[in-house]
Amino acid sequence: MDHAPPLLHVQDIHAYYGNIHAIKGISLVVHKGEIVTLIGSNGAGKTTVLNTVSGVLKSRQGRINFAGIRIDRLSPHRIVRMGISQVPEGRKIFSRLTVTENLEMGAFVRNNTKEIVKDMDGVFELFPRLRERRRQIAGTLSGGEQQMLATARALMARPLLLLLDEPSMGLAPLLVETIFDTIQRISEEGTTILLVEQNALMAFIIATRGYVIQTGRIALEDKIENLSKNEMVRDLYLGGDVD
C-alpha cells in the first residue's frame, strides 16, 4: 500500500485564523484504504487540518494533492465533487429538516436519482436507527442519532475520503463503540478515512497509522502499534499504562 502514490498528500501547509498561526508547516499522507488518525489536545490544530483539506479554510503556504490533483485552491463544493466529504465537529446537521431531507442534502453534488435512492438504502442499512426515524425532524434526534445522521449525510456524496472530526464527542460509552464499529465498516466497504479524535484509545483500535499534533505542528508520526508503545503518547493521550 505504501508504494502507491498517496490518495491525500498534505505538504507543508500553514493556515491562520486572522493573525493566529493555527497550523505551522504540517505535512501528512493518507493512502487508499487506510484509517489514519490525528490526535492531540484541544487547540492543537486537528480541526484546522481537516478544514484546510476540505477547503473551508485556505492555506497560505504549501499544497494539498488529492488523487494526484492539487486541491488547495479549489472551493469546498468542488472538493466535495472530487470525492472528499467532511463530518464536522459538533455534527452541524440541518436541524429543521427531516432525516431524509438531511441525507438528500448530502447528495447535492449528484444528479442520478436512482443511485441516490440506492445509497440512501445503503446508509439506512449502516444506521438502522435512522431508517426508523427517517421522517423525524433532525433537531429532535438524540446526540448519538445526530452523529449517525452527520456521518450518513457525508456518505451520501459517495466520498473516496471521509474526514471525521471528533465523532465520539459527548456520546455515552456504548454509543461510542457503535459509532466506531460503523467507522470500521465504512472503511471495510472501501472508503478511506482521516479521523480526528480526542478519544485516542478508541481511535487506536481502528486506525492503521497516526499523527500527533502539538501546537500546530506534527510532533510524531508512526504506525499505531509503535505509537501505542511511545511513552509520551501513553502518558498524554492513552491514560498511562495501556496493554
Side-chain angles (χ1 to χ4, degrees):
M1 185 165 56
D2 288 349
H3 299 302
L7 181 63
L8 177 71
H9 192 181
V10 175
Q11 299 166 269
D12 192 33
I13 57 168
H14 292 252
Y16 292 75
Y17 293 107
N19 292 324
I20 297 166
H21 195 174
I23 51 176
K24 307 161 185 173
I26 279 185
S27 298
L28 59 86
V29 296
V30 181
H31 289 274
K32 190 178 178 189
E34 284 192 301
I35 301 177
V36 173
T37 187
L38 305 180
I39 64 166
S41 58
N42 269 337
K46 306 183 299 295
T47 293
T48 307
V49 172
L50 296 194
N51 286 343
T52 308
V53 170
S54 64
V56 173
L57 189 66
K58 293 298 175 195
S59 57
R60 291 196 198 170
Q61 194 179 315
R63 66 184 289 149
I64 302 170
N65 282 16
F66 177 68
I69 297 166
R70 184 168 188 176
I71 63 166
D72 52 278
R73 294 168 180 170
L74 301 180
S75 62
H77 76 269
R78 288 274 305 280
I79 291 170
V80 172
R81 282 183 192 279
M82 288 188 66
I84 298 178
S85 286
Q86 183 170 0
V87 182
E89 182 182 2
R91 290 130 209 172
K92 296 187 174 64
I93 54 162
F94 300 106
S95 59
R96 295 182 182 183
L97 301 182
T98 65
V99 166
T100 298
E101 287 166 341
N102 266 270
L103 296 176
E104 288 167 349
M105 291 295 283
F108 80 98
V109 296
R110 302 171 56 194
N111 49 28
N112 186 325
T113 307
K114 197 182 284 187
E115 291 292 313
I116 290 169
V117 170
K118 182 181 160 193
D119 286 355
M120 199 173 291
D121 281 339
V123 297
F124 284 147
E125 276 180 39
L126 207 52
F127 299 105
R129 211 178 298 190
L130 294 183
R131 190 194 296 275
E132 295 163 19
R133 288 158 173 70
R134 61 188 180 275
R135 294 187 185 89
Q136 195 168 320
I137 298 298
T140 65
L141 299 174
S142 70
E145 289 162 352
Q146 289 187 18
Q147 184 61 53
M148 292 172 192
L149 178 57
T151 306
R153 181 184 62 186
L155 290 173
M156 287 299 296
R158 273 204 184 165
L160 300 170
L161 175 66
L162 186 63
L163 309 176
L164 280 169
D165 196 353
E166 302 285 8
S168 76
M169 185 183 279
L171 299 185
L174 198 61
L175 265 176
V176 171
E177 283 193 30
T178 302
I179 290 290
F180 273 83
D181 285 347
T182 308
I183 293 168
Q184 195 144 29
R185 274 185 65 192
I186 292 165
S187 168
E188 286 163 2
E189 288 173 12
T191 305
T192 304
I193 294 170
L194 180 56
L195 167 69
V196 158
E197 182 52 67
Q198 276 208 296
N199 186 339
L201 276 170
M202 289 302 294
F204 276 28
I205 290 169
I206 64 169
T208 41
R209 287 189 305 110
Y211 291 85
V212 178
I213 299 185
Q214 291 182 333
T215 58
R217 292 185 171 89
I218 301 290
L220 278 173
E221 169 217 343
D222 213 328
K223 291 179 179 173
I224 289 301
E225 62 250 41
N226 296 332
L227 285 178
S228 302
K229 295 169 189 165
N230 180 284
E231 203 170 317
M232 184 265 282
V233 171
R234 288 162 73 100
D235 288 346
L236 289 179
Y237 306 110
L238 299 174
D241 295 327
V242 178
D243 295 321

